[in-house]
Amino acid sequence: MPSFWQRLLKKQPDASALRTNQANHLKVPQHLAIIMDGNGRWAKQRHRPRIAGHQEGMETVKRVTKMADAVGVQVLTLYAFSTENWTRPKDEVSFLMKLPERFFNTFVPELVAKNIRVSTIGDVSQLPETTQAAVAAAKEKTAGNTGMILNFALNYGGRHDIVTASQSLAAAVARGELAAEAITEELFAQQLTTGYLGSLADPDLVIRTSGEERLSNFLPYQAAYAEFYFTKVLWPDFGQADFDLALTTYTKRDRRFGGVKS
Ligand code: FPP
């Protein structure tokens, strides 16, 4: 049986999805951020190596990219590799490093067809050269696209990002190019790795799969007013019904940004 969203989208595909969702009083987050957790446990349940979970997790990335695009999400940020993930076993890290290449090799034509632009946050320069090349090629091939931004957090750490931004602002102050009082929240946000997203830098909704309920250094500054949705579903199992439920739950949330209900 097709899900609610599938039925909805059948009626009004792609371009008008956002309008349709609004007409149905469904709120779609402009910026959706996801902590894709539970690949290892998914593999363990099946007596398979952890990398089998990551491989399956990659297929979920493809599915969720299409779902987010179909409902009118403007930025989809996926936590693919954190600065802390380097401490994992060597074989697992090297498999994770190969995933962007595998993903883009098979998926870029579809991204191009859907007008989706690839971008990244995090220090990509520390990744193996082949990984960097795959990421750069995907960015280049999708650079002219004007639809959803598919933003991978790769070698990303939120605290590191904040420290780096602080250092660059402090250096500008030390050089006499900037007054300390001129550092506003907006200026600070521009220095972060998400600065290029402008007014879309802050996620509206953060989803974390696998039952863990923490931020794990993911967009700590930007998620200050985000809504959080936690599900026990493991990332490789995350499907259309789970996506629908996350969005309908988000729709019911009353976002006040510290103010009072209007
Ligand atoms: C967390 O699960 C997952 C990761 C650290 C890697 C996430 C990567 C993907 C889903 C694939 C990314 C795809 C592309 C295209 C780059 P875990 O291993 O911590 O799971 P566990 O908590 O059950 O052990």
Side-chain angles (χ1 to χ4, degrees):
M1 164 119 183
S3 72
F4 173 73
W5 286 100
Q6 282 168 328
R7 290 198 302 276
L8 185 76
L9 294 167
K10 225 175 189 165
K11 237 175 19 187
Q12 287 283 349
D14 293 340
S16 52
L18 181 59
R19 225 171 28 248
T20 308
N21 295 333
Q22 280 165 351
N24 284 282
H25 306 292
L26 287 162
K27 276 194 281 179
V28 174
Q30 288 190 306
H31 183 166
L32 170 63
I34 308 182
I35 303 174
M36 311 180 287
D37 202 0
N39 294 348
R41 276 162 284 171
W42 183 92
K44 197 171 175 201
Q45 283 173 358
R46 286 159 182 78
H47 309 287
R48 291 170 68 186
R50 292 178 56 81
I51 58 170
H54 295 314
Q55 173 69 32
E56 199 59 32
M58 184 184 82
E59 296 306 320
T60 308
V61 170
K62 294 180 185 172
R63 281 201 307 273
V64 169
T65 297
K66 288 188 260 188
M67 293 176 207
D69 178 52
V71 296
V73 167
Q74 293 179 46
V75 180
L76 174 64
T77 300
L78 301 173
Y79 206 5
F81 195 87
S82 76
T83 45
E84 291 73 32
N85 287 153
W86 293 109
T87 59
R88 292 188 174 214
K90 213 170 151 226
D91 287 357
E92 185 174 344
V93 169
S94 79
F95 187 82
L96 284 168
M97 288 300 138
K98 286 195 192 99
L99 278 183
E101 208 175 326
R102 288 185 185 203
F103 177 80
F104 292 127
N105 278 347
T106 53
F107 203 49
V108 162
E110 198 155 345
L111 294 175
V112 171
K114 290 193 178 300
N115 194 26
I116 294 171
R117 177 155 68 97
V118 173
S119 72
T120 57
I121 54 172
D123 188 359
V124 185
S125 73
Q126 300 302 311
L127 305 180
E129 269 174 28
T130 47
T131 314
Q132 286 188 51
V135 170
K139 284 183 182 174
E140 198 185 308
K141 285 180 193 148
T142 62
N145 293 351
T146 54
M148 188 177 82
I149 295 174
L150 175 58
N151 183 32
F152 285 101
L154 280 170
N155 193 24
Y156 173 83
R159 286 184 173 179
H160 176 75
D161 194 16
I162 290 169
V163 169
T164 308
S166 307
Q167 286 171 344
S168 87
L169 289 168
V173 172
R175 288 194 302 269
E177 293 165 9
L178 182 70
E181 311 76 57
I183 301 173
T184 58
E185 289 183 15
E186 288 72 26
L187 187 71
F188 194 85
Q190 279 167 22
Q191 303 305 309
L192 295 170
T193 179
T194 45
Y196 76 97
L197 291 167
S199 63
L200 289 174
D202 294 353
D204 300 292
L205 174 64
V206 177
I207 296 176
R208 183 168 189 154
T209 57
S210 88
E212 311 292 347
E213 301 190 354
R214 55 180 174 269
L215 201 51
S216 299
N217 209 11
F218 184 48
L219 303 172
Y221 186 90
Q222 298 88 333
Y225 280 101
E227 294 294 325
F228 290 87
Y229 177 80
F230 300 111
T231 172
K232 287 196 164 47
V233 175
L234 304 176
W235 178 248
D237 289 329
F238 192 83
Q240 184 72 55
D242 306 302
F243 185 81
D244 297 352
L245 187 58
L247 262 60
T248 48
T249 305
Y250 172 73
T251 297
K252 290 181 202 144
R253 299 274 174 90
D254 178 22
R255 299 186 79 194
R256 295 191 298 278
F257 298 95
V260 289
K261 207 176 158 100
S262 57

